[in-house]
């Protein structure tokens, strides 16, 4: 449109737009004045936060134009239908840790603009069919840390735009067919830390955009190749920490675009040469921490460049020559090292030449075959090559020859049945009624790797109960009535690596029994009644790496109690009765990476509380510990190694600057009642130098309530030393500071 008429039309439209903005201004201003008394309203970012206020329902009077609503740490218990219908502009909704047990059908209807919904750390055991209706724009759904036991097909059918679904740390045991129907754009599905043992063949159908699947820390005894291969676009697959004993081509893994595959810390004793033949683009294969004494050259993945073998008992004799020649020929980098024979112990595999790997009959290697482990001399054969079992399956049980699994779960049995196939590798006897496990209860099961005896009312394992189980790696005795365990009961399983004893009646760590388990890697004693950890309790656990003592009554960890377990990497002492950090007991643990102390009545941290493990510790959990005071030198010695520090949900009014923690990737200070006065200036200075979201919020004085400590420069401008700091800043440092402040503002929501 040209000429005077066109100009007049443009002016008219601009005038109309101006009048509209003037009309809306008072409406938004009036809405912005509404703010629930228990909440903080940031009008500039349209963000409302009502944190840890013990609210039992969604507050009224939240401004209609609110885009980010944070209700973390309340007591909502239930999300009723249309709970947020008056907030149609919401894009981020945080309902973490709200004790939510039920989400009603239609709870989120009207939230068509919502991008992120966080329901993590609640008590959801199920999701109704239409609980998530109305969330057509949702990009990220967090359901981690709930009690979900099943997923109904169609539950996620309305989430066509979802990119990330997090279901980690739930109680899922089975995935039905089409469990994720409708998730056409989902790229990352997190299912780790559940109890999944079975995936229906069509469980992952209907996920055309899926690129990453996390299934680590489950109960998968066979690689679910058929189910996983439904997601043909997968690029990264994580299956570590599952009791897998063998994988081969018959497992049916066919993923043409797969680049990274993690099978670390499973129970693999053998691998078929064509296990990954239908994954031609595989670039990185992680097999760390398995039981592989040998490995065949892998056929098919022509783009493989990295093979991680650290922590396997590799036997570098003539059996390893084909592997070594293939690594060189295919240009695959490996980090494996030889466990034996003695002359090559500790040598890097990729530093050896074929001539170093001697065969029986060589003058210098006449006795090397004798010293090779039994698993190498007679390695497990794939199911297709196994001979038919010589004995039938007990009539009340189910035995599957293809997977070598036998199950009698929940059959009401009063005694351990006999007559299982001799090649059984997994035996599931859960949810029966055995008062005791008698001597030689599992005859002829020398190939058994995983034994499940959970929920069986077992009060005693008689001497010799595990006789004849030399390959047993996993023993599950959780949720029984055990108060003690003898070495004689465990003597038949010298290679046991994982012992699960949680939810029993132990009053102390069964130290005598551990002497029969020289290969024990992980001990689970959560939720018993252990009152102290004393010298001698771990005397036999010299190979122990992970120790879980959460949820006991431990009030004391004596110096020297942990000393025998010098290889310890993870120590979980959360939810106990410790009133101080057991600093003396933590000496002599040079490899400790993770320390869990949350949920203890610590109240204060003294100088040097963590100094003994300063060079190794990477993750420290002190949340929900009633901390009211932290000494300026409490973290003395902790430095570059520490990656995460959890101090949320304490009673800290202040915190010293932690300048020595220079490589933190995560620090959580949320849920603390910080008093924002000049004494907090050093903390403010330190936080402004971190490009991290820390969650620290002012609780007092009233004028500062709700402001973020990191971004509240106006509070500290009047403090002595503020101008000195400003004077020392260079133009470059000021630019960095402005950038950090901008990042904090952008991350200020959920």
């Amino acid at each position: 449109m040209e000429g005077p008429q066109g100009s007049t039309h443009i002016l008219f439209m601009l005038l109309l737009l101006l009048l509209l903005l003037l009309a809306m201004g008072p409406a938004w201003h009036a809405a912005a004045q509404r703010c629930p008394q228990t909440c903080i309203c940031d009008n500039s970012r349209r963000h409302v936060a009502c944190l840890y206020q013990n609210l039992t329902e969604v507050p009224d009077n939240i401004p209609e134009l609110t885009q980010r609503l944070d209700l973390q740490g309340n007591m909502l218990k239930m999300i009723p239908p249309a709970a947020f219908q008056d907030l149609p502009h919401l894009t981020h909704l945080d309902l973490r840790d709200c004790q939510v047990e039920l989400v009603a059908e239609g709870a989120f209807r009207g939230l068509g603009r919502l991008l992120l919904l966080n329901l993590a750390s609640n008590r959801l055991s199920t999701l109704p069919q239409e609980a998530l209706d109305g969330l057509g724009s949702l990009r990220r759904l967090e359901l981690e840390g709930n009690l979900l036991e099943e997923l109904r097909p169609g539950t996620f059918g309305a989430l066509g735009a979802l990119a990330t679904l997090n279901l980690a740390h739930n109680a899922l045991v089975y995935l039905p067919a089409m469990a994720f129907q409708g998730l056409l754009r989902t790229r990352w599905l997190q299912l780790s830390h559940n109890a999944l043992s079975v995936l229906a063949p069509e469980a992952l159908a209907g996920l055309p955009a899926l690129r990453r699947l996390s299934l680590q820390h489950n109960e998968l005894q066979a690689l679910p190749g058929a189910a996983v291969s439904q997601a043909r676009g997968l690029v990264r697959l994580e299956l570590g920490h599952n009791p897998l004993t063998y994988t081969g081509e018959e497992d049916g893994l066919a993923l043409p675009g797969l680049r990274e595959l993690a099978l670390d810390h499973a129970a693999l004793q053998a691998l078929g040469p064509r296990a990954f033949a239908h994954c031609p683009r595989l670039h990185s294969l992680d097999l760390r921490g398995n039981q592989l004494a040998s490995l065949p050259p892998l056929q098919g993945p022509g783009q493989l460049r990295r093979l991680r073998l650290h922590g396997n008992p590799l036997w570098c004799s003539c059996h390893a020559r084909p592997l070594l020649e293939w690594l060189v020929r295919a240009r695959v980098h490996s980090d494996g090292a030889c466990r034996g024979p003695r002359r090559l112990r500790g040598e890097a595999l990729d530093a050896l030449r074929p001539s170093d790997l001697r065969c029986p009959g060589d003058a210098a290697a006449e006795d090397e075959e004798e010293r090779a482990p039994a698993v190498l001399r007679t390695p497990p054969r794939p199911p297709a090559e196994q001979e038919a079992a010589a004995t039938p399956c007990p009539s009340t049980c189910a035995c599957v020859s293809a997977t070598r699994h036998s199950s009698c779960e929940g059959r009401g049995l009063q005694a351990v049945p006999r007559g299982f196939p001799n090649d059984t590798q997994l035996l599931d006897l859960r949810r029966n009624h055995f008062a005791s496990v008698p001597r030689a209860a599992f005859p002829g099961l020398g190939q058994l790797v995983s034994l499940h005896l959970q929920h069986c009312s077992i009060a005693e394992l008689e001497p010799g109960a595990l006789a004849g189980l030399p390959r047993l790696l996993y023993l599950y005795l959780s949720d029984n009535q055990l108060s003690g365990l003898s070495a004689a009961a465990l003597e038949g399983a010298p290679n046991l690596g994982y012992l699960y004893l949680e939810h029993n009646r132990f009053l102390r760590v069964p130290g005598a029994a551990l002497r029969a388990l020289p290969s024990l890697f992980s001990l689970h004693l959560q939720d018993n009644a252990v009152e102290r950890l004393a010298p001698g309790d771990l005397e036999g656990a010299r190979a122990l790496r992970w120790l879980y003592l959460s949820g006991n009554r431990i009030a004391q960890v004596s110096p020297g109690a942990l000393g025998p377990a010098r290889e310890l990497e993870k120590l979980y002492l959360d939810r106990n009765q410790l009133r101080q950090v057991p600093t003396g007991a933590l000496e002599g643990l040079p490899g400790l990476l993770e320390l869990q102390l949350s949920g203890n009545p610590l109240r204060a941290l003294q100088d040097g509380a963590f100094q003994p493990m300063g060079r190794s510790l990477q993750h420290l959990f002190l949340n929900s510990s009633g901390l009211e005071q932290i000494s300026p030198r409490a973290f003395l010695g902790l430095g570059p190694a520490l990656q995460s520090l959890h101090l949320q949900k304490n009673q800290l009014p202040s915190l010293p600057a932690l300048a020595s923690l220079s490589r933190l990737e995560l620090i959580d200070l949320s849920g603390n009642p910080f008093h924002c006065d000049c004494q907090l200036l050093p903390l403010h200075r330190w936080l402004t130098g971190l490009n991290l979201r820390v969650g620290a919020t002012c609780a007092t004085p009233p004028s500062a309530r709700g402001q973020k400590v990191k971004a509240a420069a106006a509070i500290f401008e009047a403090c002595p030393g503020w101008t000195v700091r400003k004077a020392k800043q260079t133009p470059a440092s000021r630019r960095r500071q402005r950038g950090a402040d901008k990042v904090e503002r952008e991350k200020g929501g959920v």
Side-chain angles (χ1 to χ4, degrees):
M1 187 180 295
E2 298 178 358
Q5 289 185 343
S7 300
T8 303
H9 180 75
I10 292 173
L11 288 172
F12 175 76
M13 294 300 294
L14 289 173
L15 180 60
L16 185 63
L17 179 60
L18 180 60
L19 291 172
L20 181 62
L21 289 173
L22 289 172
M24 289 181 61
W28 165 245
H29 181 73
Q33 298 305 310
R34 294 188 307 166
C35 187
Q37 292 183 352
T38 56
C39 304
I40 301 299
C41 299
D42 185 339
N43 299 331
S44 63
R45 291 184 294 174
R46 301 187 183 183
H47 179 193
V48 176
C50 316
L51 305 175
Y52 302 98
Q53 297 295 323
N54 296 324
L55 299 174
T56 58
E57 59 183 19
V58 178
D60 295 327
N61 298 324
I62 295 175
E64 181 182 349
L65 298 180
T66 297
Q67 294 181 348
R68 295 171 178 255
L69 177 58
D70 190 346
L71 294 171
Q72 181 182 351
N74 286 289
M75 302 173 64
L76 301 181
K77 294 188 180 295
M78 175 185 176
I79 310 298
F84 305 94
Q85 63 180 354
D86 295 330
L87 301 171
H89 299 277
L90 277 185
T91 60
H92 293 65
L93 177 57
D94 193 341
L95 296 168
R96 280 176 293 172
D97 195 23
C98 283
Q99 304 181 31
V100 177
E101 299 173 359
L102 175 66
V103 175
E105 293 186 0
F108 304 108
R109 283 181 185 148
L111 298 184
R113 301 182 184 183
L114 199 68
L115 301 176
L116 187 151
L117 174 58
N118 197 331
L119 282 162
S121 302
N122 280 293
R123 299 175 181 175
L124 293 168
S125 58
T126 186
L127 283 173
Q129 194 78 13
E130 300 179 3
L132 302 172
D133 279 8
L135 299 176
S137 298
L138 197 69
R139 299 295 308 280
R140 178 177 161 193
L141 175 59
E142 296 286 340
L143 288 164
E144 180 180 8
N146 278 280
L147 305 171
L148 294 170
E149 297 180 356
E150 64 173 341
L151 298 177
R152 301 173 185 174
T155 298
F156 307 107
L159 307 181
L162 197 71
T164 300
L165 174 58
N166 188 353
L167 287 160
H169 291 277
N170 276 279
L172 299 171
V173 296
Y174 172 70
L175 289 184
M178 305 303 292
F180 305 102
Q181 184 178 10
L183 299 182
L184 301 178
R185 298 183 184 178
T186 299
R187 298 181 63 85
W188 185 9
L189 177 57
Q190 297 168 268
L191 290 163
S192 61
H193 294 274
N194 278 279
L196 290 169
S197 58
V198 178
L199 274 63
E202 303 290 325
L204 299 172
L207 291 167
L210 195 65
R211 297 296 179 264
R212 181 178 178 183
L213 176 60
S214 302
L215 281 165
Q216 64 268 37
H217 291 277
N218 276 286
E219 299 294 335
L220 297 168
Q221 292 98 22
L223 195 149
V228 169
S229 297
Q230 293 289 324
R232 294 186 63 80
L234 274 180
V235 174
R236 183 174 178 179
L237 175 58
E238 296 156 325
L239 284 163
H241 296 271
N242 279 284
L244 305 167
T245 57
Y246 170 83
T247 185
E249 186 176 15
E250 56 270 38
D251 287 325
L253 187 67
L255 293 169
L258 190 67
R259 299 287 288 169
E260 299 179 46
L261 174 59
L263 288 164
D264 57 296
H265 298 93
L268 288 171
Q269 299 182 41
L271 205 64
R274 293 183 56 80
F276 313 113
H278 304 288
C279 303
R281 298 190 63 197
L282 189 62
H283 182 273
S284 176
L285 176 59
D286 189 348
L287 295 170
R288 291 174 299 156
N290 281 286
Q291 303 296 316
L292 295 167
S294 65
L295 193 70
L298 298 178
Q299 303 172 19
Q303 297 186 22
L304 191 67
R305 292 296 176 265
R306 189 176 188 189
L307 178 62
R308 306 192 69 180
L309 291 168
H310 179 75
N312 283 280
L314 297 173
W315 197 260
C316 297
S317 65
C318 63
H319 298 280
R321 278 185 183 172
L323 172 63
L324 187 60
E325 292 168 349
W326 170 71
L327 290 173
V328 174
R329 184 173 62 253
R331 298 181 181 179
V332 177
H333 174 70
S334 170
D335 61 359
C338 301
R339 176 71 60 87
R342 186 174 304 166
R343 65 183 181 83
L344 294 177
R345 186 170 298 165
E347 292 290 333
L349 187 63
D350 59 3
L352 298 176
R353 297 169 298 178
S355 59
D356 295 325
L357 308 179
R358 299 172 184 171
C359 293
D362 293 350
E366 292 180 356
D367 62 338
E368 287 195 0
E369 181 70 11
E370 294 299 319
R371 293 199 296 270
V375 69
L376 180 59
R377 294 195 299 270
T378 56
R381 289 170 292 169
E385 298 177 9
Q386 293 283 348
E387 297 178 359
T391 54
C393 186
S395 59
T396 55
C397 306
C399 304
V400 182
S401 59
T403 60
R404 292 172 286 178
H405 296 170
S406 298
S407 176
C408 316
E409 180 184 359
R411 305 300 170 88
L413 300 173
Q414 302 291 320
V416 177
R418 301 194 175 199
F420 294 99
N422 292 336
D423 63 350
T424 298
Q425 291 194 348
L426 182 140
L427 178 56
D428 189 349
L429 297 170
R430 287 177 291 176
R431 303 184 188 281
N432 286 289
H433 305 286
F434 313 135
S436 66
V437 180
R439 180 180 180 83
F442 310 99
L445 297 182
Q447 303 295 318
L448 195 65
V449 172
S450 186
L451 176 57
H452 296 253
L453 291 164
Q454 306 99 304
H455 295 279
C456 285
S457 303
I458 297 170
E460 181 187 11
L461 261 67
E462 296 182 5
L466 302 182
L469 302 180
R471 292 183 183 270
L472 191 67
L473 290 176
Y474 294 85
L475 176 58
Y476 297 85
L477 286 163
S478 316
D479 296 281
N480 282 293
Q481 299 177 22
L482 291 165
S483 58
L485 207 55
S486 70
L490 303 176
E491 280 179 350
N495 291 310
L496 192 70
Y498 299 81
L499 179 58
Y500 296 83
L501 296 170
E502 59 265 52
H503 294 283
N504 275 282
R505 299 179 178 180
F506 287 93
L507 297 176
R508 62 176 301 173
V509 175
L514 302 184
R515 294 186 176 92
L517 304 176
S519 302
L520 190 64
F521 183 93
S522 181
L523 175 60
H524 297 251
L525 271 166
Q526 304 99 304
D527 298 293
N528 278 275
V530 178
E531 295 180 349
R532 62 173 298 195
L533 201 57
D537 283 350
L538 299 176
E539 189 60 41
R542 299 189 178 274
L544 194 66
R545 299 289 184 90
W546 303 344
L547 177 57
Y548 298 89
L549 291 164
S550 311
N552 280 277
R553 304 172 185 171
I554 298 172
Q556 180 182 0
V557 182
S558 301
L562 300 169
R566 286 185 56 82
E567 303 296 321
L568 204 63
E569 296 176 352
K570 293 184 181 181
L571 177 58
Y572 276 51
L573 289 166
D574 51 304
R575 295 185 292 114
N576 278 286
Q577 300 300 318
L578 294 169
R579 296 190 176 277
Q580 61 183 11
V581 177
T583 307
L586 297 172
E587 294 183 1
L589 301 176
L592 192 65
L593 303 176
E594 187 171 328
L595 178 59
Q596 248 286 10
L597 291 170
S598 59
N600 282 283
L602 297 177
R603 297 182 67 102
L605 296 181
Q606 304 302 321
D607 286 350
F610 307 99
Q611 195 163 7
M613 73 290 299
R615 294 189 177 184
S616 63
L617 198 65
Q618 296 180 359
H619 307 285
L620 178 57
F621 296 83
L622 294 162
N623 46 296
S624 304
S625 296
L627 287 172
E628 300 174 357
Q629 180 182 359
I630 293 180
S631 164
R633 296 169 61 83
F635 299 107
L636 181 68
L638 294 178
L642 196 68
Q643 298 175 13
S644 68
L645 176 60
H646 299 260
L647 286 166
Q648 67 269 29
K649 299 182 185 178
N650 281 294
Q651 299 299 317
L652 293 168
S654 64
L655 182 70
L658 306 175
S660 63
L661 307 183
S662 57
R663 296 190 181 179
L664 281 177
E665 298 175 3
L666 183 153
I667 178 170
D668 194 341
L669 300 175
S670 61
N672 282 286
F674 285 108
H675 181 67
C676 293
D677 61 6
C678 291
Q679 292 187 9
L680 210 63
L681 177 59
L683 178 65
H684 166 75
R685 289 179 174 174
W686 179 64
L687 293 179
T688 55
L690 297 178
N691 192 18
L692 299 173
R693 183 186 177 192
V694 298
T697 305
C698 301
T700 55
S703 60
R705 183 171 174 266
Q707 297 188 48
K708 294 186 178 300
V709 175
K710 182 176 180 179
I715 296 174
F716 301 102
E717 286 179 347
C719 294
W722 175 265
T723 55
V724 174
R725 177 200 179 209
K726 288 292 184 181
K728 291 182 178 180
Q729 285 188 327
T730 64
S733 67
R734 283 194 293 271
R735 286 194 297 271
R736 287 195 298 270
Q737 181 59 48
R738 286 195 295 269
D741 291 343
K742 181 180 180 182
V743 169
E744 177 64 22
R745 288 194 298 272
E746 291 174 349
K747 293 183 177 180
V750 176

